């Protein structure tokens, strides 16, 4: 059972525009959500997180939105840059140690 | 460099052989995690330790897999009698217990079973 889903395998965006990456989850016990970025041949790198008590968290060009009623979160990158091209994973935690990851979305930002 | 390190970075083995991977976490982190990632998928949780204690194991971790963290610092993951289906990237991560901070990942060990 896929508790965290990223339904878009890939996304292509023009440099300077907004990138929106989406993630859906099914487990209502999840109370903390994270986004990771992964370049080839490297481990995932933490980007931004949000607690279930909030609906928005912002860090520079990155903003994560959480809609608990819809069990949906999204990552907005504004403005997108070519260096943002990578695979993005959303992950969720239910107050245990482990993270449950989605399948990933490959973002390509074109110059 | 004080990040999470993993050794080896790549391992090619024949089916039926045993392999062992090592992970060195960030020194002040008391929690250490193992994940496995296959092509086109996100990392899947295998197990995690708090200090020396193994607190949780996934159903994915068959009897052929064993993990240890004997002194609460580095950890090893051993796979016995490897199968072609074990081919994957094995990722290690660490963080501090008691906070909701992110897990810091190492570069991974790429295992290929022929």
């Amino acid at each position: 059972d896929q508790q965290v889903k990223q339904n878009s395998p890939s996304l292509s965006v023009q440099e300077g525009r907004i990138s929106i990456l989406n993630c859906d989850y099914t487990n209502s016990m999840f109370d903390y959500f994270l986004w990771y970025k992964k370049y080839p041949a490297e481990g995932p790198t933490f980007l931004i997180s949000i607690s279930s008590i909030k609906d928005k968290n912002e860090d520079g060009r990155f903003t994560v939105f959480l809609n608990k009623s819809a069990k949906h979160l999204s990552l907005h990158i504004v403005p997108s840059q070519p260096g943002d091209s990578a695979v993005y994973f959303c992950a969720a935690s239910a107050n245990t140690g482990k993270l449950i990851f989605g399948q990933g979305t490959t973002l390509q930002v074109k110059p | 460099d004080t990040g999470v390190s993993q050794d080896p970075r790549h391992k090619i083995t024949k089916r039926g052989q045993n392999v062992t991977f090592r992970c060195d976490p960030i020194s002040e982190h008391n929690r250490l995690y193992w994940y496995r990632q296959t092509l086109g998928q996100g990392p899947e949780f295998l197990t995690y330790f708090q200090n020396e204690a193994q607190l949780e194991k996934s159903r994915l971790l068959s009897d052929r897999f064993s993990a240890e963290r004997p002194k609460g610092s580095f950890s090893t993951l051993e796979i016995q009698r490897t199968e072609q289906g074990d081919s994957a990237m094995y990722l290690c991560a660490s963080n501090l217990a008691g906070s909701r901070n992110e897990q810091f990942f190492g570069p991974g060990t790429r295992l290929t079973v022929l």
Side-chain angles (χ1 to χ4, degrees):
Chain A
D1 59 336
Q2 191 74 32
Q3 297 184 68
V4 179
K5 295 182 181 180
Q6 294 175 254
N7 292 317
S8 298
S10 62
L11 174 68
S12 183
V13 170
Q14 206 67 32
E15 180 180 6
R17 298 291 184 98
I18 184 171
S19 295
I20 300 177
L21 296 98
N22 294 303
C23 180
D24 297 294
Y25 63 95
T26 57
N27 189 341
S28 58
M29 299 300 293
F30 289 147
D31 64 350
Y32 200 71
F33 304 88
L34 308 91
W35 284 94
Y36 280 83
K37 179 168 72 173
K38 187 179 185 303
Y39 294 116
E42 295 182 11
T45 302
F46 171 76
L47 266 180
I48 192 169
S49 61
I50 187 167
S51 165
S52 61
I53 63 173
K54 296 185 176 181
D55 55 18
K56 177 182 174 181
N57 188 27
E58 191 171 354
D59 184 2
R61 297 186 297 114
F62 302 92
T63 303
V64 56
F65 296 92
L66 176 62
N67 182 334
K68 283 193 296 182
S69 61
K71 294 189 174 68
H72 177 84
L73 64 155
S74 61
L75 174 68
H76 292 209
I77 306 173
V78 182
S80 301
Q81 300 173 354
D84 296 329
S85 298
V87 180
Y88 289 77
F89 293 100
C90 69
S93 171
N95 201 25
T96 64
K98 66 185 180 186
L99 296 178
I100 308 297
F101 283 84
Q103 308 97 307
T105 297
T106 300
L107 172 66
Q108 182 184 25
V109 180
K110 297 180 177 179
Chain B
D1 189 324
T2 56
V4 178
S5 62
Q6 292 187 246
D7 183 69
R9 294 291 306 274
H10 303 275
K11 178 70 176 178
I12 299 174
T13 191
K14 293 182 179 179
R15 189 175 51 188
Q17 297 294 305
N18 299 343
V19 294
T20 300
F21 309 141
R22 176 179 171 127
C23 172
D24 287 88
I26 293 171
S27 57
E28 61 267 29
H29 287 177
N30 57 357
R31 280 193 173 177
L32 185 149
Y33 307 80
W34 286 99
Y35 292 84
R36 179 173 67 186
Q37 184 179 16
T38 54
L39 196 63
Q41 300 296 317
E44 293 177 293
F45 170 78
L46 292 178
T47 187
Y48 86 97
F49 295 83
Q50 182 165 315
N51 300 315
E52 306 87 3
Q54 189 172 19
L55 296 189
E56 186 174 351
K57 290 172 58 175
S58 166
R59 291 172 296 172
L60 292 174
L61 214 63
S62 76
D63 291 344
R64 297 184 297 106
F65 288 70
S66 62
E68 294 182 344
R69 196 183 183 199
K71 298 182 180 179
S73 56
F74 73 92
S75 174
T76 58
L77 177 68
E78 181 184 17
I79 309 174
Q80 296 182 329
R81 305 181 303 281
T82 53
E83 302 173 356
Q84 288 185 327
D86 297 331
S87 295
M89 175 73 82
Y90 289 84
L91 293 162
C92 177
S94 69
N95 69 358
L96 279 170
S99 65
R100 300 308 299 270
N101 59 338
E102 67 275 16
Q103 295 178 15
F104 294 85
F105 281 82
T109 295
R110 167 76 63 189
L111 173 66
T112 302
V113 181
L114 301 176

